[in-house]
């Protein structure tokens, strides 16, 4: 009677095990439709704001991932059993195989191959939708609570920019398309002063670091420096909200529009003449800022150039050229002689004036659409926002790649960074304002206005 060798017996035993596992896989697949139907019923019964089609796509993707790992798990068990059989045969020879290491290696190789295929499928098929979902699923461990505190009404057209003084008295400044800039009491919301010296839209406003001077950029192709003197009003006690308002307490905005520029007891005082006018641009001046120390200013224009001026003489010191399209913004470092300019050419440039004899420039191509603004933080960071729906945080010591990227669902307008708390405020084209920290974690979204028309002439403090 023939005797079966040990190797053939082990081979037949392995085949039987593989056959039993293949039957197990078929049984699993046979119940897949039932399980999918049950999951879809549970999905429809859940309360979610996601569209049903998007939720169904997510369910299909997670189902594919589950099946991949289920197959890997079954193959892992099979490999372990085959290794045990081989170890039994090799025990007599004093040789053993580390089943744990071998299994991990085989599992890691196969898992890496399967994961790469699935990852490529996800990127090509669901790239747009998943990017939005992933950005909204980021951790929000330290959410900020925001609520409306004050409203500043007085402009007759859209507000492009705002700024706060760095010295006493602390006031708020706004720049508007109505050809004016206004200074406000932050506490009371009262207009303290109006500058009406420009012949075009006022696109930006910045305050001198130590003196009571303001710098405004305008669509009339100029930038103005003007002095101001204001006295903060005494905060009024909180009114009794239990009493109904009388007719004299409502619709102040309508009455102001009816009064026009006429004089009256509530009329905001105005300034019509600038102390210094900076001329040399051949296009709209979209932004302007003070260099550290306040002795020089930089302006950015649609003529594709940024200009550096001496404040005392109003003379042009340098013309910063190199951008291929219109500039959208400029910003100066709070403590160093550094300037960053952004442009519609999808780049932003870092200009270094720290060495009087050498003026260097670095070009950064980190976006795929118009860079709407790039600003410095108190530390050594630059934050850039773009129409490509991303905001990126860069380290000045290593600008090769961003240290954080924020992906949004709408184009990003002129961004702002909190000096004290290192919070990034992102105004979007979809009329939303979101707050993020410097690592890209979303903190809050500012509440919407109660005004149904979202009036751009009104400024809100939260």
């Amino acid at each position: 009677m023939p005797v079966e060798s040990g190797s053939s017996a082990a081979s037949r035993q392995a085949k039987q095990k593989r056959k039993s596992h293949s039957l197990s896989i078929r049984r699993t697949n046979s119940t897949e439709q039932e399980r999918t139907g049950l999951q879809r019923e549970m999905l429809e019964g859940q309360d979610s704001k996601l569209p049903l089609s998007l939720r169904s796509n997510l369910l299909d993707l997670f189902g594919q991932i589950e099946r991949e790992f289920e197959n890997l798990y079954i193959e892992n068990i099979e490999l372990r059993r085959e290794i045990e059989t081989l170890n039994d045969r090799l025990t007599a020879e004093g040789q053993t195989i580390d089943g744990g290491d071998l299994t991990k290696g085989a599992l890691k190789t196969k898992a890496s191959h399967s994961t790469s295929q699935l990852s490529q499928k996800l990127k090509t098929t669901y790239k747009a939708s998943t990017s939005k979902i992933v950005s909204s699923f980021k951790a929000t461990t330290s959410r900020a609570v925001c609520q409306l505190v004050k409203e500043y009404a007085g402009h007759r057209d859209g507000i492009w920019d705002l700024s706060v003084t760095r010295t006493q008295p602390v006031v708020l400044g706004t720049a508007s398309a109505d050809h004016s800039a206004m200074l406000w009491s932050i506490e009371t919301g009262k207009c303290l002063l109006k500058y009406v010296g420009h012949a075009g839209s006022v696109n930006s406003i910045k305050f001198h670091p130590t003196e009571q001077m303001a710098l405004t950029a305008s669509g009339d192709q100029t930038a103005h420096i003007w002095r101001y003197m204001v006295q903060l009003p005494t905060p009024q006690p909180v009114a009794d909200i239990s009493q109904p308002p009388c007719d004299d307490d409502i619709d102040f905005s309508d009455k102001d529009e009816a009064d026009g520029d006429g004089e009256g007891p509530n009329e905001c005082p105005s300034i019509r003449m600038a102390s210094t006018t900076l001329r040399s641009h051949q296009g709209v001046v979209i932004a302007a800022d003070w260099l550290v120390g306040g002795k020089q200013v930089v302006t950015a224009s649609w003529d594709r150039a940024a200009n550096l001026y001496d404040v005392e003489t109003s003379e042009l010191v340098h013309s910063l050229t190199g951008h291929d399209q219109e500039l959208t913004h400029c910003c100066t470092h709070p403590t160093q002689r550094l300037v960053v300019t952004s442009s519609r050419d999808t780049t932003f440039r870092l200009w270094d004036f720290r060495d009087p004899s050498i003026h260097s420039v670095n070009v950064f191509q980190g976006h795929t659409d118009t860079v709407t603004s790039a600003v410095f933080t108190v530390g050594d960071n630059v934050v850039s926002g773009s129409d490509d729906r991303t905001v990126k945080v860069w380290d000045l010591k290593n600008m090769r790649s961003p240290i954080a990227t924020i992906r949004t669902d709408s184009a990003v307008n002129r961004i702002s960074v909190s000096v004290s708390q290192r919070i990034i405020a992102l105004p979007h084209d979809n009329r939303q304002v979101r707050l993020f920290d410097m690592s890209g974690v979303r903190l809050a979204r500012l509440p919407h206005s109660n005004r149904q028309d979202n009036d751009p002439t009104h400024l809100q403090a939260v």
Side-chain angles (χ1 to χ4, degrees):
M1 187 175 180
V3 179
E4 187 178 22
S5 64
S7 60
S8 61
S11 176
R12 185 167 59 84
Q13 185 179 6
K15 289 181 179 179
Q16 291 177 350
K17 290 178 181 178
R18 284 195 294 269
K19 182 177 181 180
S20 63
H21 287 305
S22 65
L23 292 174
S24 175
I25 294 174
R26 283 197 291 270
R27 286 195 298 270
T28 303
N29 293 335
S30 66
T31 61
E32 181 180 344
Q33 295 180 352
E34 298 177 0
R35 177 171 49 180
T36 303
L38 179 60
Q39 289 176 339
R40 292 187 184 280
E41 292 178 0
M42 295 175 60
L43 184 65
E44 294 176 355
Q46 293 177 354
D47 184 16
S48 175
K49 295 182 180 180
L50 293 176
L52 184 59
S53 60
L54 184 57
R55 297 168 65 193
S56 178
N57 289 339
L58 284 174
L59 181 62
D60 293 338
L61 292 175
F62 291 140
Q64 294 179 35
I65 295 173
E66 181 182 3
R67 288 192 295 272
E68 287 287 341
F69 281 99
E70 184 179 11
N71 294 337
L72 290 174
Y73 177 74
I74 293 173
E75 293 177 4
N76 182 27
I77 295 177
E78 182 179 343
L79 287 172
R80 284 184 179 276
R81 290 178 179 176
E82 291 182 357
I83 291 171
E84 290 176 1
T85 303
L86 292 174
N87 279 334
D88 291 340
R89 293 177 53 196
L90 297 175
T91 301
E93 302 177 6
Q95 300 177 5
T96 60
I97 299 176
D98 190 350
D101 294 341
L102 182 58
T103 305
K104 290 179 182 178
L107 182 60
K108 181 177 180 181
T109 303
K110 195 166 187 66
S112 176
H113 178 68
S114 301
T115 304
S116 63
Q117 290 181 336
L118 185 60
S119 175
Q120 184 64 28
K121 185 175 182 180
L122 290 174
K123 289 180 180 179
T124 56
T125 308
Y126 300 101
K127 184 176 180 180
S129 60
T130 53
S131 63
K132 296 179 182 179
I133 297 171
V134 170
S135 64
S136 63
F137 285 167
K138 283 187 175 181
T140 54
T141 55
S142 57
R143 276 191 172 273
V145 179
C146 303
Q147 61 181 357
L148 179 63
V149 176
K150 187 71 63 177
E151 189 172 45
Y152 306 86
H155 282 294
R156 300 183 182 180
D157 207 335
I159 298 173
W160 298 129
D161 194 21
L162 59 89
S163 182
V164 177
T165 57
R166 310 180 195 181
T167 58
Q168 295 294 335
V170 178
V171 297
L172 172 69
T174 55
S176 172
D178 64 6
H179 299 192
S180 73
M182 287 187 175
L183 305 186
W184 308 81
S185 166
I186 298 178
E187 297 295 331
T188 66
K190 179 182 178 181
C191 175
L192 305 176
L193 187 66
K194 178 189 289 188
Y195 179 71
V196 291
H198 283 291
S201 170
V202 183
N203 300 319
S204 76
I205 180 170
K206 289 293 185 290
F207 292 102
H208 192 277
T210 58
E211 300 182 30
Q212 293 188 19
M213 292 194 298
L215 169 66
T216 50
S218 173
D220 61 11
Q221 303 184 6
T222 68
H224 290 182
I225 298 175
W226 42 278
R227 292 185 175 273
Y228 63 89
M229 292 185 63
V230 295
Q231 183 175 1
L232 296 178
T234 303
Q236 298 296 323
V238 179
D240 185 3
I241 61 175
S242 62
Q243 298 295 329
C246 63
D247 294 339
D248 294 336
D249 295 334
I250 60 175
D251 290 335
F252 281 111
S253 59
D254 294 338
K255 293 184 178 181
D256 289 341
E257 290 180 2
D259 292 339
D261 293 333
E263 297 295 332
N266 296 326
E267 182 69 18
C268 182
S270 62
I271 298 177
R272 299 182 181 274
M273 295 296 294
S275 57
T276 302
T277 300
L278 306 176
R279 297 185 177 92
S280 64
H281 284 294
Q282 303 301 315
V284 170
V285 183
I286 195 63
D289 202 357
W290 303 87
L291 265 73
V292 58
K295 295 183 179 180
Q296 292 179 325
V297 298
V298 62
T299 58
S301 172
W302 285 2
D303 63 7
R304 305 183 183 184
N307 289 340
L308 187 67
Y309 295 92
D310 182 90
V311 173
E312 184 177 356
T313 63
S314 69
E315 292 181 356
L316 178 64
V317 179
H318 293 290
S319 183
L320 313 180
T321 59
H323 282 290
D324 295 332
Q325 295 188 38
E326 295 91 337
L327 272 65
T328 57
H329 192 249
C330 67
C331 181
T332 60
H333 194 279
T335 60
Q336 303 183 61
R337 290 179 56 82
L338 298 173
V339 176
V340 61
T341 57
S342 55
S343 170
R344 292 184 60 187
D345 62 9
T346 73
T347 71
F348 65 94
R349 295 178 177 235
L350 180 63
W351 310 82
D352 191 345
F353 297 99
R354 288 175 294 186
D355 188 341
S357 59
I358 303 176
H359 302 145
S360 62
V361 58
N362 294 300
V363 183
F364 302 98
Q365 299 176 336
H367 293 280
T368 59
D369 206 338
T370 297
V371 182
T372 54
S373 62
V375 299
F376 291 103
T377 66
V378 176
D380 292 329
N381 297 118
V382 176
V383 184
S384 60
S386 171
D387 281 346
D388 64 7
R389 303 184 179 184
T390 65
V391 174
K392 299 185 178 184
V393 182
W394 310 79
D395 188 348
L396 281 175
K397 299 177 181 178
N398 183 9
M399 298 282 287
R400 294 182 179 179
S401 60
I403 59 177
T405 298
I406 302 171
R407 303 188 184 278
T408 68
D409 57 359
S410 179
V412 180
N413 295 321
R414 190 172 292 181
I415 60 180
S416 180
V417 179
S418 170
V419 175
S420 58
Q421 300 183 13
R422 294 173 61 82
I423 296 176
I424 308 172
L426 307 183
H428 297 280
D429 274 356
N430 60 8
R431 299 182 178 181
Q432 293 186 0
V433 179
R434 296 186 177 99
L435 304 182
F436 290 81
D437 65 13
M438 296 297 292
S439 61
V441 176
R442 177 176 168 179
L443 302 177
R445 184 184 69 182
L446 299 192
H448 286 288
S449 169
N450 292 329
R451 297 176 178 268
Q452 296 181 356
D453 58 351
N454 289 323
D455 191 347
T457 67
H458 290 72
L459 180 68
Q460 296 179 337
V462 293

